[in-house]
Amino acid sequence: MSQTIVVKIGTSSLTQPETGSLALSTIATLVETLSRLRHQGHRVVLVSSGAVGVGCARLGLTERPRSITLKQAVAAVGQGRLIRVYDDLFSVLQQPIAQVLLTRGDLVQRSSYINVEQTFQELLQLGVIPIVNENDTVAVDELKFGDNDTLSALVASLVKADWLFLLTDVDRLYSADPRSNPDAIPISVVHRLNDLKELQVQIGDRGSTWGTGGMMTKISAAHIATGAGVRTVITDGRTTQNIEKILQGEAIGTQFEPQPRPANARKRWIAHGLVPMGKLFLDEGAVQAIRYAGKSLLAAGIIRVEGEFESQDAIALCDRSGEEFARGIVNYRTVELEKIQGHQSDEIEQILGYSCPETIVHRDNLALMYEA
């Protein structure tokens, strides 16, 4: 059966740890694996890090740049080299590829989100393997994905993928870092992300010397992807043949079970395409009404407002403890909500002095992030 598969490979898997130069044998094996999957009828997307690392090696830099302008310049050098290597290797196997460079801004506007989605669908129907990276050369801090784990999860949601493979420098998720803790327990299946708390999983936030990610970003990516109905796997990036074995049912790596996929494409865009400009903290009644009864958000349920936003901006909806459980498009500005929070809907016009919508976030403009 044909499936849509997104594969993300990190800088630590693509490059030599000592020098930052490309690990060509790993890339060649990855190319062979993805080409076989494509020839079996699967739709395949590759999200590839490595542009900055390759640029550093090309320019003789011994450490990753810290300033955003230098990083952008180095990425511009490295991206061309990286895509040429991919094109040369895929061409040997007669597999066409396409370069897709994205910024978060491409997904924030509904019209551009739909355009990106349609471009991916056209490429996949043509039998092309899109190779995706963040457009580091032009991205600004507030519209950056931050890491390619997050980018790959958003792409997996966008293309309605069946699988997301996060290839990294460990073979699976452990209860602690196996490189420093010999008692670390391997974890094969995660049914819900809350299970990790019960298993007392210790997640470090440091990536490799050349990469930006770490296990924390992979867990965050699993949140996004599984919430969009995508089965997510963390596994070793140096043995890419394992992708095929996992697809055939072998218990390799760590699998995160998918949650029910949101049927509405607009809801997926709200949940995963938009960048929240602020947060609303809600009482238990409002959380229950939104999460389990599909209700709109009313002013009475708001206990705190955080951030500076305008009407029609995206905002995060959080429970009393601060955990985000939904995201929506708000009908009010910050200054207005600070005046009407906790009040009944029929009091709003009197407080503000003008007529306003009854709902703070209408249920049609609201999406749950993932299963609690």
Side-chain angles (χ1 to χ4, degrees):
M1 183 179 70
S2 175
Q3 299 187 86
T4 302
I5 300 163
V6 176
V7 177
K8 182 266 176 180
I9 189 162
T11 303
S12 61
S13 301
L14 283 171
T15 56
Q16 305 288 352
E18 303 82 13
T19 63
S21 59
L22 286 172
L24 291 174
S25 60
T26 299
I27 298 174
T29 305
L30 173 67
V31 166
E32 289 178 3
T33 299
L34 299 187
S35 296
R36 277 198 303 272
L37 290 173
R38 176 68 208 95
H39 294 151
Q40 290 164 16
H42 299 299
R43 296 174 294 275
V44 179
V45 178
L46 173 62
V47 178
S48 176
S49 302
V52 175
V54 172
C56 286
R58 191 76 177 223
L59 296 170
L61 302 178
T62 55
E63 63 178 26
R64 193 178 181 88
R66 299 185 186 279
S67 76
I68 189 166
T69 51
L70 180 56
K71 181 184 175 186
Q72 288 173 325
V74 170
V77 172
Q79 185 62 36
R81 169 68 176 152
L82 183 64
I83 202 69
R84 179 183 174 182
V85 170
Y86 277 126
D87 192 43
D88 286 347
L89 292 171
F90 274 110
S91 294
V92 171
L93 301 175
Q94 299 182 321
Q95 172 57 54
I97 64 168
Q99 177 175 247
V100 180
L101 299 177
L102 296 174
T103 68
R104 194 68 184 258
D106 297 320
L107 305 185
V108 168
Q109 294 295 327
R110 179 70 178 147
S111 57
S112 59
Y113 180 94
I114 293 172
N115 187 54
V116 171
E117 181 181 31
Q118 291 174 341
T119 299
F120 271 112
Q121 295 304 333
E122 289 290 348
L123 288 169
L124 294 174
Q125 286 178 15
L126 288 168
V128 173
I129 295 180
I131 300 181
V132 186
N133 199 356
E134 180 162 15
N135 196 346
D136 284 315
T137 305
V138 300
V140 293
D141 270 345
E142 58 268 29
L143 285 177
K144 286 182 68 62
F145 295 102
D147 60 84
N148 274 356
D149 294 319
T150 300
L151 172 59
S152 68
L154 293 169
V155 168
S157 172
L158 186 80
V159 301
K160 298 187 267 302
D162 300 288
W163 293 84
L164 169 61
F165 289 90
L166 300 173
L167 305 183
T168 185
D169 52 3
V170 293
D171 62 342
R172 66 182 63 199
L173 180 65
Y174 288 81
S175 59
D177 189 338
R179 294 168 292 193
S180 58
N181 188 339
D183 297 324
I185 301 169
I187 298 169
S188 297
V189 180
V190 178
H191 298 287
R192 298 191 314 151
L193 270 297
N194 275 358
D195 294 345
L196 296 180
K197 298 175 185 176
E198 296 169 19
L199 292 167
Q200 298 182 318
V201 174
Q202 301 167 13
I203 304 164
D205 59 358
R206 290 187 303 171
S208 66
T209 305
W210 295 101
T212 58
M215 198 53 73
M216 185 176 290
T217 65
K218 289 167 181 59
I219 300 300
S220 298
H223 262 292
I224 295 170
T226 56
V230 183
R231 182 177 295 276
T232 303
V233 182
I234 294 174
T235 190
D236 184 9
R238 300 280 177 175
T239 50
T240 58
Q241 306 95 321
N242 284 346
I243 295 174
E244 294 172 281
K245 295 178 181 178
I246 292 167
L247 290 171
Q248 291 162 7
E250 290 194 33
I252 300 170
T254 299
Q255 292 197 24
F256 296 80
E257 298 277 355
Q259 303 301 318
R261 172 172 282 154
N264 188 314
R266 178 178 165 81
K267 297 272 188 178
R268 287 201 307 277
W269 167 66
I270 291 171
H272 305 305
L274 297 181
V275 179
M277 305 304 292
K279 295 180 179 180
L280 301 182
F281 295 81
L282 312 184
D283 64 25
E284 290 79 1
V287 173
Q288 295 281 326
I290 291 168
R291 175 173 273 164
Y292 300 112
K295 300 288 188 181
S296 300
L297 173 62
L298 304 179
I302 302 172
I303 55 179
R304 185 154 64 93
V305 179
E306 189 177 287
E308 293 293 330
F309 50 84
E310 299 294 323
S311 173
Q312 301 308 301
D313 278 346
I315 47 94
L317 302 184
C318 305
D319 61 20
R320 196 180 288 272
S321 72
E323 182 175 352
E324 181 183 6
F325 71 94
R327 195 167 289 182
I329 299 172
V330 69
N331 290 328
Y332 288 83
R333 296 178 295 151
T334 302
V335 290
E336 294 170 324
L337 282 186
E338 288 174 339
K339 295 176 182 177
I340 65 174
Q341 67 180 47
H343 287 275
Q344 298 299 316
S345 299
D346 56 12
E347 301 176 88
I348 293 177
E349 185 171 348
Q350 183 179 354
I351 294 170
L352 295 180
Y354 45 85
S355 179
C356 295
E358 178 183 359
T359 59
I360 307 304
V361 180
H362 192 274
R363 63 185 180 186
D364 291 344
N365 290 326
L366 190 154
L368 297 178
M369 296 300 292
Y370 39 75
E371 185 75 18

